[in-house]
Amino acid sequence: MEMKQVSDNCFAVLNEKNRVCDANSGLINRAGGVVIDTQSDLAHARQMIEMFSKVWPAMPQRVINTHEDADHVWGNQLFEGAEIIAHRSVPERMKQVAEPKESQKLLHGVGRFLTRLVLKVLHPGIVAAGQQLREDYNFDGIELVLPTTLFDARYELNLDGTEVHLIYVGPCHQVGDTIIHVPKERVVFAGDVLFRQCTPMGWTGSYEKWFQCLDLMIQLDPEVIVPGHGPLCGIEGAIEMKAYLQYVRDESRKCFDNGLPSLAAAKRIEFGPYGEWRAPARLYMNVERAYREFRNEPPNAPWDMAGTFDAIYRVAKAKGIEVEY
Ligand SMILES: [Zn+2]
């Protein structure tokens, strides 16, 4: 984990491994400070706080959650008494997708030899994901702390003369997707609308909406984008992600029209230049999302988590690459 200053008053804490759960956090260091996203577990959240505290005068009284996923909200409890700002959908969605009990059980389960053995036969992908997570994370002690200030389309903060614009752009990767624009400093905190040098994992939303949001980010003309996952970039990051999503949707369409199921399609579709990104087999999720759209399924159709992690496992095996999430 490292901290980088990205403009006069904006900072980022980046998780360099860039695998699942390795989310970034941001800080706008004005008017008492605003922290953006709070990491995946308490140890990472504490490390983020320690890094940012080298530049902030005191613990910030404001937090923004860019969306409802666990890896962006599980450190909320360490900001006691803070105003937590997020899109109106986020508290309810957090209860649905970021309840820590299941993840705590999973990590303990794969840590036990016998459970792991049984689980491996049923769900090799879940075991592989759990083992990977255990290398870096411990979900014990996490309690859900929900946002307290909710907004609909847009929310603005004025931090001693520095405007901060929260723009709701969901659902493109998740229901609550919000980007944070600091126009004066030409910085955008993108949350998981942007994955950089790692394969995007989209849960709820549509390709069209995601394209619109990436276009908006490009139009804002930032000098620096802090992605939800991966290293800092400029607008080239958004351009590349859009190209990836377009490529995957086009290739998926061909496979769909040929009657291939989504898992077979994900095995067949070439990674191309995106094979160098982290966890390229997460491609399966993007193929499956495209298929849902082709079948006119609702964008919020739920995911079978075990089936999804198993499918990613099978794509990696079929392609002869390391299983990585
Ligand atoms: Zn994330």
Side-chain angles (χ1 to χ4, degrees), residues 14 49 58 86 91 121 128 138 161 172 195 198 212 251 259 267 318:
L14 307 164
I49 288 168
V121 178
N138 179 343
C172 63
F195 286 66
C198 58
Q212 283 168 22
E251 292 300 305
K267 288 177 182 173

Side-chain angles (χ1 to χ4, degrees), residues 155-308:
Y155 191 80
E156 298 194 356
L157 292 168
N158 187 315
L159 306 177
D160 288 344
T162 298
E163 294 271 329
V164 177
H165 301 162
L166 285 70
I167 308 165
Y168 176 60
V169 293
C172 63
H173 137 280
Q174 202 37 304
V175 179
D177 292 323
T178 295
I179 63 171
I180 295 113
H181 183 213
V182 190
K184 201 169 162 182
E185 309 212 353
R186 296 187 63 203
V187 173
V188 167
F189 295 92
D192 283 3
V193 170
L194 189 65
F195 286 66
R196 181 71 177 148
Q197 290 172 15
C198 58
T199 307
M201 299 174 93
W203 301 97
T204 301
S206 68
Y207 272 83
E208 276 314 318
K209 195 86 191 172
W210 207 334
F211 294 151
Q212 283 168 22
C213 173
L214 290 165
D215 286 341
L216 169 67
M217 229 162 13
I218 295 163
Q219 279 163 24
L220 293 174
D221 193 28
E223 208 163 278
V224 182
I225 302 177
V226 180
H229 295 261
L232 301 174
C233 58
I235 58 167
E236 78 283 357
I239 293 168
E240 266 183 42
M241 249 243 341
K242 190 176 172 192
Y244 170 81
L245 291 173
Q246 277 169 330
Y247 167 73
V248 174
R249 189 174 64 166
D250 290 349
E251 292 300 305
S252 300
R253 181 81 233 186
K254 290 180 208 159
C255 294
F256 182 82
D257 290 344
N258 283 326
L260 274 188
S262 60
L263 176 56
K267 288 177 182 173
R268 178 173 299 181
I269 295 170
E270 300 280 343
F271 292 143
Y274 311 109
E276 285 169 25
W277 289 1
R278 255 0 265 249
R282 297 196 310 217
L283 165 74
Y284 165 77
M285 290 183 68
N286 300 310
V287 176
E288 172 61 22
R289 264 169 72 98
Y291 269 52
R292 290 171 177 215
E293 285 187 31
F294 302 150
R295 290 191 296 252
N296 289 318
E297 285 175 21
N300 61 350
W303 288 82
D304 160 20
M305 291 299 277
T308 302

